[in-house]
């Protein structure tokens, strides 16, 4: 086989990123947008020694697990890897993905195969979206999503994962750019004004936020744009984020208040949270309640425990935990998130939690000399935890660790490190936080071998 050859193959499995896998002459061929059970025609794009990549050209015989994509741009866009699969097949794929990583990387062969918790309705679940802006070949401003593995914008104002307000807001901003001939950012030259637009919505409160990410500090005719955006039901916050660096990082550090207030609010359960443009907040509020509820079930606190919430963000899980703990300490590098976390605690009249800006690993290292912690809650970024943090965790030696992860591969790596030392994985639960994508969230309970009941003397 060589580049541009047309081949026929049956898809037998899925790769970790959701691409179909079939074999031709014993060689594995990866075909994006193909579903297990499909018989397809594909065009070879790249060949390696023992595997290759091909583009789906035609589905010759569709799989029972194949379904019609709801979005016309699903194959072009890099956001939805699994839209051609039935939701039941998506859940099965994600459960297997978690299981395979835990066995292959984590060597956790004693765990029962997980059942995943899915959604009743796997659409319109995202409360946050960031839209890049650019210019088409005719010089018109466009927005949408990047094509897979590129920074080429697919013009589209409708995303079935996001809220309906997104389309209205984006079309208002595009009209403003056209009317007043306002430039969009060009990554090559580093010139142009509007880079991205961040939109957030509180699902319980209905409050809407718009943040304009600019290569500058203001926009021409900004008052007119604000007046237009204020027509959107629920509009609560309009701000500017300044990012003048020639970088792929979406947001800068400087915020400029424009209209309304500089945050929105939302609820998880009966706890109210303040969310600013720069702060972390889970994008799927429905499944966040499920995920954190499972984390609290695993922690099984009695009201006597001292808890650390590492990577605490805006304090969501730490504040929930405070209802069943003696006291909680949240630690987070992002100072804007810490500010929001403190405000959230005050707003909910919670007095047994405090939030500390800084590196969680260093903070725990400083505590390890004499202070006792019963439970550590940790929700690290996709890269997982570094060895310094894990070493600090072992030095602190809490009775329980509740690990929330958005990346089963780095979760398995970190669990392998912890289980070779003092900890046992007792429970694990995948939750589908991101339907139609290849991502999955997992919560794990680890217990300390040395402090488990009946095991306090080195057993």
């Amino acid at each position: 086989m060589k580049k541009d050859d047309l081949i026929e193959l049956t898809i037998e499995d899925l790769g970790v990123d959701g691409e179909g896998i079939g074999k031709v002459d014993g060689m594995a061929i990866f075909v994006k947008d193909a579903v297990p059970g499909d018989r397809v025609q594909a065009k070879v794009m790249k060949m390696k020694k023992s595997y290759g990549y091909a583009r789906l050209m035609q589905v010759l015989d569709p799989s029972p697990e194949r379904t019609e994509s709801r979005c016309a741009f699903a194959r072009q866009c890099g956001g939805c890897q699994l839209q051609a699969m039935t939701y039941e097949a998506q859940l099965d794929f994600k459960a297997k993905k978690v299981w395979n990583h835990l066995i292959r990387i984590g060597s956790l062969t004693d765990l029962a195969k997980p059942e995943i918790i899915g959604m009743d309705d796997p659409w319109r679940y995202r409360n946050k979206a960031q839209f890049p802006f650019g210019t088409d070949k005719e010089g018109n401003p466009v927005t949408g999503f990047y094509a897979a593995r590129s920074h080429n914008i697919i013009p589209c104002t409708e995303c079935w994962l996001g809220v309906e307000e997104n389309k209205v807001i984006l079309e208002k901003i595009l009209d403003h750019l056209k009317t007043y001939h306002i430039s969009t950012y060009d990554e090559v030259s580093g010139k142009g004004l509007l880079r991205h637009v961040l939109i957030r919505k509180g699902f319980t409160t209905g409050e809407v936020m718009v943040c304009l990410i600019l290569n500058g500090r203001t926009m021409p005719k900004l008052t007119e744009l604000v007046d237009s955006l204020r027509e959107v039901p629920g509009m609560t916050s309009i701000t500017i984020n300044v990012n003048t660096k020639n970088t792929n990082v979406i947001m800068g550090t400087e915020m400029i208040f424009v209209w309304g207030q500089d945050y929105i609010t939302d609820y998880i359960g009966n706890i109210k949270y303040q969310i600013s443009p720069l702060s972390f907040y889970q994008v799927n509020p429905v499944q966040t309640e499920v995920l954190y509820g499972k984390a609290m079930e695993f922690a099984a606190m009695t009201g006597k425990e001292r808890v650390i919430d590492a990577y605490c963000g805006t304090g969501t899980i730490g504040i929930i935990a405070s209802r069943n703990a003696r006291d909680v300490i949240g630690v987070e590098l992002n100072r804007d998130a810490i500010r929001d976390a403190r405000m959230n605690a005050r707003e909910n009249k919670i007095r047994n939690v405090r939030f500390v800006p800084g590196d969680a690993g260093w903070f725990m290292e400083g505590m390890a000399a004499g202070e006792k912690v019963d439970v550590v809650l940790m929700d690290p970024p996709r890269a997982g935890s570094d060895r310094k943090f894990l070493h600090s965790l072992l030095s602190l030696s809490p009775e329980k660790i509740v690990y929330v992860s958005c990346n089963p591969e780095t979760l398995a790596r970190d669990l392998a490190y912890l289980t070779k030392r003092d900890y046992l994985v007792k429970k694990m639960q995948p939750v589908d936080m991101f339907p139609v994508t290849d991502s999955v969230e997992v919560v794990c309970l680890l217990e300390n071998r040395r402090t488990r009941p009946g095991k306090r003397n080195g057993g």
Side-chain angles (χ1 to χ4, degrees):
M1 283 180 291
K2 61 183 184 300
K3 190 177 186 299
D4 294 331
D5 280 354
L6 286 176
I7 57 175
E8 291 186 12
L9 68 163
T10 298
I11 303 302
E12 301 171 359
D13 203 354
L14 287 178
V16 293
D17 296 323
E19 68 278 44
I21 305 174
K23 289 187 177 180
V24 177
D25 297 331
M27 295 186 68
I29 305 295
F30 293 83
V31 186
K32 181 181 174 292
D33 303 309
V35 173
D38 280 344
R39 180 73 182 171
V40 303
Q41 182 189 68
K43 183 178 182 180
V44 176
M45 306 306 295
K46 184 188 295 185
M47 290 301 302
K48 300 287 187 178
K49 287 185 178 181
S50 58
Y51 62 94
Y53 297 92
R55 177 186 297 162
L56 177 65
M57 303 302 290
Q58 185 180 357
V59 179
L60 303 173
D61 186 14
S63 164
E65 295 180 350
R66 173 170 287 277
T67 189
E68 190 71 27
S69 295
R70 184 172 292 196
C71 174
F73 302 99
R75 286 190 60 184
Q76 298 167 262
C77 178
C80 296
Q81 299 83 13
L82 306 180
Q83 201 167 139
M85 296 176 65
T86 64
Y87 190 49
E88 293 75 14
Q90 291 179 37
L91 294 176
D92 184 61
F93 159 69
K94 294 183 183 188
K96 288 178 180 176
K97 179 177 178 176
V98 172
W99 179 244
N100 289 338
H101 281 313
L102 291 177
I103 292 175
R104 182 174 58 85
I105 301 172
S107 299
L108 298 171
T109 56
D110 293 336
L111 284 175
K113 189 175 180 180
E115 294 290 333
I116 187 169
I117 301 175
M119 296 191 72
D120 293 334
D121 181 6
W123 302 101
R124 299 289 189 195
Y125 61 81
R126 288 190 64 95
N127 59 17
K128 172 188 174 183
Q130 296 172 132
F131 298 89
F133 276 71
T135 305
D136 65 17
K137 294 178 180 178
E138 287 72 41
N140 298 309
V142 294
T143 188
F145 296 94
Y146 290 130
R149 293 178 291 278
S150 81
H151 272 211
N152 299 322
I153 297 174
I154 300 167
C156 172
T157 57
E158 175 86 270
C159 174
W160 286 93
L161 304 190
V163 297
E164 295 180 8
E165 288 87 347
N166 290 347
K167 179 179 173 65
V168 177
I169 291 167
L170 293 174
E171 291 180 353
K172 284 178 175 292
I173 294 171
L174 286 171
D175 286 344
H176 186 79
L177 297 177
K178 293 174 186 176
T179 300
Y180 297 106
H181 308 289
I182 299 170
S183 62
T184 57
Y185 185 71
D186 179 79
E187 292 182 343
V188 177
S189 67
K191 296 180 180 179
L193 182 60
L194 181 60
R195 301 176 68 129
H196 282 77
V197 170
L198 164 69
I199 304 173
R200 286 181 128 154
K201 180 181 178 180
F203 274 33
T204 301
T205 63
E207 295 176 0
V208 177
M209 165 191 293
V210 172
C211 179
L212 309 168
I213 296 100
L214 302 182
N215 183 31
R217 297 179 58 82
T218 191
M219 176 182 284
K221 300 292 183 179
L222 183 59
T223 300
E224 286 80 353
L225 178 59
V226 169
D227 289 342
S228 178
L229 292 176
R230 286 174 62 185
E231 296 172 357
V232 178
M235 187 60 62
T236 302
S237 172
I238 303 175
T239 57
I240 286 172
N241 176 265
V242 180
N243 184 359
T244 57
K245 295 181 179 179
N246 193 355
T247 173
N248 288 335
V249 176
I250 292 176
M251 300 190 74
T253 57
E254 182 184 359
M255 295 298 306
I256 298 174
F257 171 78
V258 175
W259 176 85
Q261 56 195 37
D262 59 0
Y263 62 90
I264 60 172
T265 60
D266 202 13
Y267 286 81
I268 298 176
N270 62 354
I271 298 178
K272 187 177 182 180
Y273 293 94
Q274 178 174 302
I275 310 154
S276 65
L278 290 173
S279 61
F280 172 80
Y281 188 75
Q282 292 279 10
V283 301
N284 184 335
V286 174
Q287 292 295 80
T288 295
E289 195 161 342
V290 173
L291 182 75
Y292 288 172
K294 187 60 66 172
M296 292 303 100
E297 176 190 321
F298 284 4
M301 293 182 292
T302 64
K304 300 177 181 179
E305 291 83 2
R306 190 173 205 198
V307 179
I308 287 183
D309 177 13
Y311 314 95
C312 71
T314 56
T316 47
I317 194 167
I319 289 174
I320 292 171
S322 70
R323 298 290 176 91
N324 297 305
R326 183 182 57 135
D327 59 85
V328 177
I329 304 170
V331 190
E332 167 66 47
L333 275 173
N334 187 318
R335 288 182 175 270
D336 289 303
I338 287 292
R339 182 198 66 184
D340 285 349
R342 290 169 175 168
M343 180 68 73
N344 290 331
R346 287 196 297 271
E347 183 76 21
N348 290 282
K349 297 180 172 57
I350 294 172
R351 296 180 175 83
N352 64 331
V353 60
R354 64 186 174 99
F355 294 101
V356 180
D359 179 89
W362 283 113
F363 182 84
M364 292 194 302
E365 193 74 33
M367 294 186 69
E371 296 184 72
K372 182 179 181 295
V373 170
D374 302 292
V375 180
V376 170
L377 307 170
M378 53 185 288
D379 188 358
R382 286 192 62 81
S385 295
D386 59 25
R387 287 295 173 88
K388 178 172 69 70
F389 176 90
L390 295 175
H391 177 75
S392 301
L393 191 58
L394 291 169
S395 298
L396 194 62
S397 195
E399 292 182 9
K400 297 176 184 177
I401 300 168
V402 179
Y403 190 142
V404 179
S405 170
C406 60
N407 186 342
E409 186 172 359
T410 55
L411 168 68
R413 179 201 67 200
D414 292 348
L415 293 182
Y417 184 85
L418 294 170
T419 54
K420 286 176 184 175
R421 283 130 181 115
D422 297 337
Y423 286 88
L424 292 169
V425 177
K426 300 297 292 181
K427 297 179 182 179
M428 182 261 302
Q429 177 64 65
V431 177
D432 189 21
M433 291 280 285
F434 313 103
V436 198
T437 79
D438 61 0
S439 297
V440 59
E441 203 95 0
V442 189
V443 57
C444 286
L445 169 66
L446 297 93
E447 290 185 353
N448 196 319
R449 288 187 180 97
R450 295 185 297 172
T451 59
R452 284 192 305 153
K455 298 288 184 179
R456 295 185 180 274
N457 297 315

